[in-house]
């Protein structure tokens, strides 16, 4: 299969402060010990089921002594050709010494990763990746910067399992282990005719360098986690997730466990919904106390059915659910929907039971929706699956919905039916023990029946996955979301400006903005937006042509459009000339086109066509108030006909200001269904949301900054030493540590020196640095130094420093602070003060903030937020989104600021977060943004890090642990 060499270009220490890694010393790190620790760490994160291309699961775990028989059996099952590819020669079996070496826990020997499946209750290894190092000598001193000794790396995959993605997963895990151990490159030697493994390497996302030597291809690739590699990894996972949840939308058969003869039971409601919807496959009822339910034969158990069952819906009391899930695994069901409540939403015992359900499903290679949900449906006519207990069966259409709330899901289905919004799919995810929004996005992204995706979320799980996945999906199909939890309840006290600015909800706003998700404030807004997106194209521009039979509503619409960034342009002269011929003299032609109350259906039709074809118009809004002189149905029919004459790439929306709404004939024109609203403001809001999404799709992706690897190592060493001080809590870095980290990250920081808490020492340090200087106090618990007189600026002599230091000591002592040391910095004059910082949300992880600096930041509350990684385009949008953005351009005669330099600082802070995911808070405030070309320099800062931070969440991108519910 594959033989590879490890080539180490790095002497970085194994990152400390993580649960599975022992903190290394600074002077001696055994190579094999580093590798073993890295393996333990990676598999402590990834040691869960991974989804393969066919939707089935495989477990990745470390090989140990207890696996000797499994390892031997694995190599026995390989075909002669596979053994030849693996060993470059004929070999009938693996010698006992080789098995001993591979399964040894001694770090001087091989460490290996196995891909394991469970069949009939027995484990079987289906793939192995291994490392073998040459020796166990320690690396010390100057040797850290020398080339690491080489070792072998090999991968083998069982012949009957090839083509499922196992080799790719093992390759990714091996690269992650190497990266964690400080190894930057892998060298693979592959037989030239081993096309399958060569294909695995070439499609892996790693940057490859290849050479051929006498029938052997030598392939060298870097283990560094590049954006291209992450994108390839996320796409592989998306395709695997898509296949794994396909069973919920396209099952071949469905069984309802808990189907009851009682008509008021949930199990009976699900069974009847399945039958009434006309599901194409067989439907089975499972009830040990009945022989027939609702005309369907009943079976005492799943195994008694005697036929394959794809999807099982469970509606039994919570205490029996685990037994039913175990039976699902025994009959090799592919999907399980647990409607039953009484799990993680109810108690600690329920959370433990929910975790057991997830583990059982993963072990059996099943996907699980719920528990505590209302089911799934696929309304497309080719499937007609209604595995819910909802009383509503919506019309078939092109909208797919996810609801975390079952009760609200029922209301959403009812409202969609009332508005005649057709659905392709619907899933109530409940507690999200396994299947999550990320899994469903993966499926709907490629579903030909889905045009718009709707999400109702109460909590967020793996935001890192969502941030990588959602932007790619959004560029294909709009995602509209309602995320509850905007209230300030639960906001914690913060120790920095950055954390204080980040309320409970700004992280979600930032995530949705970056991902291109349209966030609605209410369900009404959501359905207004969906009505437009599901029937109309995205507007090419902001220019709106308005046709109305009443002036007042036209003015309301104009005001609402202008407030949302849309414009009402003057129409072209040819269009105006034609309108003058068509409409009475009293008509207003300044856009809105007011045809007056007497407008006939024919005038509606022709005016819509003229306005829609005008080159100055990107979209059309038609407003109709029913007067006594026209019949609403006749006008609706005319509007439909007129919309058919508008170019297909321009959206047409209507406003029928009547309690009866729009007549049904509105949907019978050549263009089909047109969205209709009760009030002009609703139409303007929906149109603005559609235009905003169009801008996202047109927006360049931008570039992210990557800190060079040799600088990463220095940053990690500083952070790791700080983390060893932190133990189980968090620790603020000293000013010298902060200065060093920022310097390595390329973030300008004013030249800084520290001195003892003594006025003479402060003066001496100032003399060494050179004047003018700024003097600052550092004391335990002191956050806002300027509030208590802990800052003195523009000191230009030794005497001024002596006086300022003495006065500062007195002021802080009276305020209850004891100065630990003085900090002296080179005085940076001029410029606009800005803030760039990081705060860590409990569910989203690090959030980067930018705003005006100094005391203004909390006074004005003017800040913008994004989640890493942040591109230069993101950073520019953050600055442009500030209310005070104009100050950077030179407001009212003031000199402009170096906006580009501040953008670079934001991008470098984002890159720093990628290297140091343990950041709890970072505050660079103020940053002096100087005149164009002068740069941006931070003159004060604080950085707090803590172990067991967001790193584990961010790295969970392959493990099939789902998207567990968590409070935001």
């Amino acid at each position: 299969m594959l033989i590879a060499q490890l080539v180490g270009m790095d002497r970085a220490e194994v990152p400390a402060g993580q649960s599975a890694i022992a903190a290394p010393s600074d002077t001696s790190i055994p190579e094999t010990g580093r590798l073993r620790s890295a393996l333990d760490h990676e598999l402590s994160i990834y040691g869960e089921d991974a989804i393969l291309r066919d939707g089935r699961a495989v477990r990745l775990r470390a090989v140990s002594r207890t696996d000797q028989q499994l390892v031997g059996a694995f190599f026995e099952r390989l075909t002669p050709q596979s053994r030849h590819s693996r060993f470059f020669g004929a070999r009938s079996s693996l010698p006992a010494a080789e098995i001993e070496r591979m399964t040894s826990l001694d770090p001087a020997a091989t460490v290996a990763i196995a891909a394991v499946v469970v069949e009939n209750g027995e484990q079987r290894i289906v793939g192995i990746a291994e490392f073998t190092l040459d020796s166990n000598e320690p690396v010390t001193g100057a040797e850290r910067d020398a080339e690491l000794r080489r070792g072998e790396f090999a991968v083998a995959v069982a012949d009957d399992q090839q083509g499922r993605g196992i080799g790719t997963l093992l390759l990714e895990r091996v690269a992650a282990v190497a990266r964690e151990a400080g190894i930057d490159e892998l060298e693979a030697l592959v037989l030239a005719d081993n096309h399958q493994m060569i294909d695995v390497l070439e499609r892996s996302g790693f940057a490859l360098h290849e050479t051929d030597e006498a029938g052997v291809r030598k392939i060298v690739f870097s283990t560094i986690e590049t954006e291209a590699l992450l994108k390839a990894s996320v796409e592989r996972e998306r395709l695997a997730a898509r296949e794994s949840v396909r069973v919920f939308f396209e099952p071949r058969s469905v069984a309802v466990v808990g189907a009851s003869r009682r008509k008021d039971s949930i199990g009976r409601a699900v069974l009847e919904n399945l039958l009434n919807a006309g599901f194409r496959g067989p439907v089975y009822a499972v009830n040990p106390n009945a022989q027939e339910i609702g005309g369907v034969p009943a079976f005492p158990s799943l195994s008694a059915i005697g036929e394959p069952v794809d999807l099982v819906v469970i509606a039994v009391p919570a205490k029996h659910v685990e037994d039913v899930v175990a039976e699902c695994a025994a009959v090799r069901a592919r999907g399980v929907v647990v409607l039953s409540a009484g799990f993680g939403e109810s108690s600690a015992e329920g959370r433990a039971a929910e975790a057991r359900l997830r583990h059982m499903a993963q072990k059996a290679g099943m996907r699980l929706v719920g528990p505590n949900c209302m089911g799934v449906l696929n309304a497309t006519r080719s499937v007609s699956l209604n595995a819910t207990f909802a009383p509503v069966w919506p019309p078939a259409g092109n909208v797919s919905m996810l609801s975390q709330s079952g009760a609200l899901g029922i209301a959403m289905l009812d409202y969609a039916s009332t508005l005649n919004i057709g659905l392709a799919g619907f899933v109530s995810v409940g507690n999200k023990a396994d299947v999550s929004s990320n899994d469903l996005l993966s499926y709907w992204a490629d579903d030909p029946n889905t045009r718009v995706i709707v999400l109702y979320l109460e909590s967020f799980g793996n935001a890192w996955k969502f941030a990588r996945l959602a932007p790619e999906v959004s560029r294909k199909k709009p995602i509209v979301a309602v995320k509850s939890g905007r209230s300030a309840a639960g906001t914690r006290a913060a120790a920095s400006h950055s954390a204080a600015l980040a309320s409970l909800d700004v992280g979600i706003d930032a995530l949705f903005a970056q991902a291109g998700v349209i966030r609605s404030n209410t369900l009404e807004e959501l359905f207004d937006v969906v009505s437009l997106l599901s029937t109309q194209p995205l507007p090419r521009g902001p220019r709106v042509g308005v046709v109305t039979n009443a002036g007042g509503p036209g003015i309301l619409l104009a005001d609402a459009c202008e407030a949302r960034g849309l414009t009402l342009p003057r129409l072209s002269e040819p269009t105006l000339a034609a309108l003058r011929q068509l409409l009475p003299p009293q008509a207003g032609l300044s856009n809105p086109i007011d045809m007056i109350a007497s407008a006939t259906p024919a005038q509606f039709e022709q005016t819509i066509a003229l306005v829609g074809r005008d080159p100055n118009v990107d979209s059309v809004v038609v407003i109709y108030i029913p007067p006594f002189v026209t019949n609403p149905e006749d006008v609706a029919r005319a509007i439909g006909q007129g919309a058919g004459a508008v170019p297909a790439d321009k959206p047409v929306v209507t406003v029928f200001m009547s309690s009866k709404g729009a007549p049904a004939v509105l949907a019978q024109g050549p263009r089909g269904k047109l969205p209709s609203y009760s009030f002009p403001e609703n139409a303007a809001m929906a149109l603005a949301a559609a235009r905003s999404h169009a801008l996202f799709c047109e927006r360049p992706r931008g570039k992210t900054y990557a800190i060079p690897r040799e600088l990463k190592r220095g940053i990690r060493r500083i952070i790791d030493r700080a983390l060893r001080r932190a133990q189980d809590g968090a620790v603020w870095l000293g000013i010298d540590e902060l200065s060093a980290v920022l310097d390595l990250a390329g973030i300008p920081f004013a030249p800084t020196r520290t001195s003892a808490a003594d006025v003479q020492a402060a003066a001496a340090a100032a003399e060494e640095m050179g004047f003018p200087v700024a003097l600052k106090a550092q004391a335990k618990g002191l956050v806002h130094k300027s509030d208590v007189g802990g800052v003195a600026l523009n000191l230009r002599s030794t005497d001024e420093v002596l006086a300022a230091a003495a006065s500062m000591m007195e002021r802080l002592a009276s305020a209850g602070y004891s100065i630990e040391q003085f900090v002296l910095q080179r005085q940076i004059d001029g410029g606009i003060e800005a803030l760039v910082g990081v705060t860590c949300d409990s569910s989203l992880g690090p959030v980067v903030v930018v705003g005006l600096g100094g005391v203004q930041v909390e006074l004005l509350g003017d800040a913008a937020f994004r989640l890493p990684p942040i591109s230069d385009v993101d950073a520019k949008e953050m600055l442009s989104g500030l209310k005070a953005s104009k100050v950077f351009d030179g407001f009212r005669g003031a000199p402009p600021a170096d906006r580009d330099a501040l953008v670079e600082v934001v991008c470098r802070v984002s890159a720093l977060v990628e290297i140091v995911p343990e950041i709890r808070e970072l505050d660079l405030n103020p940053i002096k943004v100087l005149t164009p070309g002068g740069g941006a320099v931070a003159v004060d800062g604080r950085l707090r890090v803590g172990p067991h931070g967001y790193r584990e969440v961010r790295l969970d991108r392959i493990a099939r642990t789902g998207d567990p519910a968590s409070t935001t």
Side-chain angles (χ1 to χ4, degrees):
M1 287 309 226
L2 170 66
I3 297 212
Q5 301 275 335
L6 287 172
V7 184
M9 310 300 291
D10 181 2
R11 277 299 175 263
E13 300 167 88
V14 178
Q18 297 166 26
S19 57
I21 301 180
S25 69
D26 288 336
T27 59
S28 179
I29 307 171
E31 294 172 15
T32 51
R34 282 198 303 165
L35 189 57
R36 186 78 219 185
S37 293
L39 177 72
D40 291 342
H41 176 248
E42 285 299 317
L43 294 184
S44 73
I45 296 170
Y46 296 109
E48 295 288 341
D49 292 353
I51 308 172
L52 300 175
R53 291 174 189 162
D54 59 3
R56 293 289 182 174
V58 65
R59 169 150 300 206
L60 304 178
R61 63 171 176 79
V63 175
S64 67
R65 287 191 180 279
T66 59
D67 293 318
Q68 290 188 357
Q69 186 175 353
L70 293 177
V71 170
F74 167 71
F75 281 97
E76 288 284 347
R77 287 193 300 270
L78 292 178
T79 63
Q81 181 180 357
S82 291
R83 293 196 197 104
H84 182 268
S85 296
R86 166 61 179 83
F87 297 107
F88 284 29
R91 181 176 286 190
S92 59
S93 62
L94 198 63
E98 283 287 300
I99 296 177
E100 171 67 23
R101 176 188 59 79
M102 191 178 299
T103 59
S104 172
L105 294 179
D106 182 355
T110 297
V111 290
I113 305 171
V116 181
V117 297
V118 178
E119 296 174 342
N120 300 320
E122 299 291 331
Q123 293 190 51
R124 178 164 79 94
I125 292 178
V126 294
I128 294 179
E130 58 175 298
F131 286 94
T132 305
L133 295 178
D134 292 335
S135 66
N136 191 30
E137 297 177 10
V139 179
T140 60
E143 292 177 332
R144 286 184 189 279
D145 296 319
E147 183 177 303
L148 182 66
R149 290 177 303 279
R150 293 184 176 185
E152 290 186 349
F153 151 62
V155 169
V157 177
D159 292 83
D160 63 343
Q161 300 290 323
Q162 293 174 13
R164 302 179 66 204
I166 294 173
T168 301
L169 285 174
L170 289 171
L171 177 62
E172 286 186 343
R173 297 285 60 72
V174 162
V177 171
R179 180 167 55 247
E180 190 72 26
I183 297 163
D184 288 339
E185 289 187 340
L186 297 177
E187 181 184 288
L189 301 179
V190 187
L191 290 176
D193 61 356
N194 189 355
H195 303 295
Q196 199 163 1
M197 183 51 67
I198 292 172
D199 184 56
V200 166
L201 287 166
E202 290 181 343
R203 291 189 296 105
S204 64
F206 292 96
L208 307 179
H209 175 70
E210 303 181 37
T211 57
D212 288 328
E213 298 178 4
V216 176
R217 184 171 294 185
K218 178 176 163 181
I219 303 175
V220 178
F221 57 97
S222 170
T223 66
I224 292 176
E225 197 174 43
T226 64
E227 190 65 25
L229 177 60
L230 288 173
K231 186 175 180 180
S233 177
V234 169
E235 180 62 9
R236 283 193 293 273
E237 183 189 8
R238 187 189 72 79
L239 295 177
R242 178 192 69 186
E243 294 308 308
S244 73
V245 298
R246 186 180 295 277
V247 64
F248 297 107
F249 301 98
E250 305 170 40
R252 292 167 296 185
S253 58
V254 183
V256 181
V257 179
S260 173
R261 287 172 291 194
R262 287 180 28 240
K263 287 187 173 292
D264 61 346
S265 69
I266 288 178
R268 179 63 178 269
V270 174
L271 182 65
E272 290 186 349
N273 280 348
L274 282 165
L275 298 174
N276 293 337
F279 174 63
R280 301 293 190 259
V283 176
Y284 305 105
V286 177
N287 185 325
N289 302 312
Q291 294 183 337
E292 178 270 337
I293 299 174
V296 175
F299 298 87
S301 65
L302 287 169
S303 56
I305 293 174
E307 297 289 340
V309 178
D310 265 4
L311 180 64
V312 179
V313 182
I314 300 175
V316 300
K319 62 182 179 180
H320 300 306
V321 170
E322 289 182 58
D323 291 337
V324 178
V325 172
E327 190 179 9
C328 291
V331 300
R332 301 178 67 84
R334 295 170 53 222
V336 179
V337 179
V338 180
L339 308 180
S340 315
F343 289 91
E345 80 285 358
S346 61
S347 64
E349 182 180 350
R351 287 190 290 274
E354 186 173 305
R356 290 194 297 272
L357 289 183
R358 179 169 59 247
H359 178 72
M360 292 169 68
Q362 291 173 352
K363 186 177 179 181
M366 298 184 299
R367 298 308 306 265
L368 183 147
V369 169
N372 186 32
C373 72
M374 59 167 280
V376 302
L377 66 80
N378 183 349
T380 56
R381 293 181 178 85
S382 60
V383 179
S384 295
L385 171 75
N386 187 1
T388 75
F389 55 84
V392 180
W393 174 243
N398 57 18
V399 178
S400 287
M401 291 185 180
L402 173 152
S403 175
Q404 193 170 341
S405 165
L408 198 56
I410 293 176
M412 291 171 70
L413 289 177
D414 181 61
Y415 199 54
S417 298
T418 301
L419 296 176
N420 198 31
I421 294 176
L423 294 193
F426 174 88
V427 179
S428 164
V429 292
N431 293 1
K432 299 192 296 183
D434 178 28
V435 171
S436 69
S437 56
N438 292 329
D439 296 308
L440 297 171
L441 285 177
S442 298
Y443 177 83
W444 286 328
D446 296 331
D447 177 28
N449 299 308
T450 298
R451 175 171 170 172
V452 181
I453 299 170
V454 173
L455 306 176
Y456 171 77
L457 300 172
E458 295 175 349
S459 63
F460 235 104
N462 196 323
W464 192 93
K465 284 184 181 179
F466 186 90
R468 295 281 176 175
L469 173 64
E472 302 307 316
V473 178
S474 291
R475 286 183 169 89
K476 292 182 177 181
K477 301 174 182 182
I479 302 173
V480 189
V482 170
K483 167 65 178 68
S484 60
R486 283 189 178 271
S487 68
T491 300
R492 62 184 175 87
S496 71
H497 295 286
S498 301
L501 286 167
S503 67
L504 189 66
D505 199 51
V506 295
I508 298 294
D509 273 337
L511 176 60
F512 283 175
Q514 283 172 272
V517 174
I518 302 169
R519 184 170 190 179
S520 298
N521 295 312
T522 65
L523 287 176
E524 181 183 20
E525 281 188 12
L526 181 143
F527 281 105
D528 283 344
V529 174
V530 170
S531 293
L532 190 154
L533 295 174
S534 63
T535 60
Q536 302 300 306
L538 295 175
R540 298 178 303 174
R543 303 170 302 175
V544 182
V546 181
V547 177
T548 178
N549 68 339
I555 295 172
L556 289 175
L557 180 72
D559 290 343
C561 286
E562 294 287 349
R564 291 170 172 81
L566 302 176
T567 62
L568 274 66
R570 176 179 172 84
L571 303 183
S572 67
E573 285 304 322
T575 301
L576 292 173
L579 290 173
R580 292 187 190 101
Q581 294 293 321
L582 173 67
L583 300 176
Q586 300 88 346
L589 305 182
S590 60
N591 194 17
I593 307 301
D594 182 4
M595 300 183 298
I596 69 173
S598 61
T600 66
Q603 288 173 328
F604 262 98
E605 179 179 344
Q606 295 175 56
T607 301
I608 291 169
L610 286 169
V611 172
R613 289 196 293 259
D614 190 282
N616 296 337
V617 168
D618 300 308
S619 55
V620 179
V621 178
V622 183
I623 303 175
Y624 173 69
I625 294 182
F628 291 112
V629 294
T630 55
N631 183 299
E633 287 202 358
D634 292 339
V635 172
R637 188 176 292 107
I639 291 174
Q641 292 296 320
V646 175
D649 60 349
K650 295 184 181 183
V652 178
V653 302
T654 67
V655 178
F656 267 72
M657 298 187 69
S658 167
S659 60
K660 298 179 181 180
V665 294
L666 183 66
Q668 296 175 7
R671 194 159 178 151
K673 183 181 176 183
L674 298 176
S676 184
Y677 303 98
S678 299
F679 300 102
E681 295 85 353
N682 300 66
M685 181 278 303
L687 201 54
R691 177 56 191 157
S692 176
H693 185 69
L695 288 172
F696 172 82
C697 295
E698 298 165 4
R699 170 184 183 266
R701 297 172 185 264
K703 297 179 181 179
T704 55
Y705 177 76
I707 296 174
R709 70 182 73 174
E710 62 272 11
L711 301 179
K712 288 182 181 180
R713 295 195 289 269
I715 292 171
R716 282 308 317 178
R717 290 189 183 104
I718 296 169
I719 297 300
D720 293 342
R721 283 193 294 268
L723 287 170
R724 288 196 283 275
R725 299 198 308 269
Q727 297 179 351
D728 291 329
V731 63
W732 291 97
L733 269 64
I735 191 67
D736 294 332
E737 292 174 310
L738 172 63
S739 179
V741 167
L742 295 178
D743 180 59
L744 290 167
I747 300 170
F749 193 65
T752 303
R753 294 200 180 193
T754 58
S755 78
D758 175 83
V759 294
Q760 295 295 335
E767 289 177 350
E768 291 178 6
M769 177 176 287
F771 298 101
V773 298
L775 178 69
K776 303 175 183 180
Q778 190 165 313
K780 186 176 182 179
L782 179 59
V783 178
H784 304 308
K785 295 184 283 292
S786 59
D787 290 353
V788 293
V791 178
L793 302 176
N794 205 27
L795 305 177
R796 296 183 173 275
S797 68
T798 301
D799 290 341
E800 289 185 12
V801 172
L802 288 170
S807 176
M808 195 175 291
M809 293 184 76
E810 291 179 6
R811 286 194 301 271
L812 266 68
S814 62
Y817 294 102
S818 176
I819 297 179
E820 297 174 341
Q821 64 178 2
F822 283 115
V823 177
L824 292 105
Q825 284 184 317
R826 179 69 51 79
Q827 179 76 33
I828 306 294
D829 293 321
I832 295 171
E833 292 188 344
L835 168 143
V836 177
V838 178
T839 184
C840 195
D841 182 272
S842 60
S843 61
L844 298 179
V847 180
V848 177
V849 54
V850 65
L852 291 183
V855 297
Q856 302 175 81
V857 64
E858 289 182 42
L859 176 65
L860 301 178
D862 185 14
F865 303 85
R866 290 291 187 274
L867 275 67
I870 296 173
S871 70
D872 56 345
V873 173
D874 293 323
K876 289 174 183 176
E877 287 183 353
M878 292 174 77
L879 294 187
S880 299
L882 296 175
K883 299 172 186 175
S885 176
K886 290 182 180 179
V887 302
F888 295 107
D889 300 322
F891 188 64
R892 288 196 172 181
D898 196 337
R899 185 185 285 258
D900 291 341
L902 186 56
V903 165
E904 184 174 349
V905 170
V906 174
C907 292
R908 287 178 179 269
V909 166
S910 170
L912 179 62
V913 174
E914 293 286 288
I915 299 170
V916 190
E918 300 94 341
I919 288 177
R920 301 287 179 85
E921 292 180 44
L922 169 65
D923 220 35
L924 300 179
N925 181 34
I927 295 174
K928 291 292 191 76
V929 188
L930 305 177
T931 55
V937 183
V939 297
D940 202 358
R942 291 166 60 82
L943 173 60
R944 188 166 70 106
V945 296
H948 318 303
Y950 191 63
R951 181 180 179 86
E952 283 71 18
V953 178
R954 187 184 74 83
L955 287 174
D956 175 27
R957 60 184 177 278
I958 294 297
R960 194 188 123 190
T961 54
D963 189 3
S966 59
T967 56
T968 303

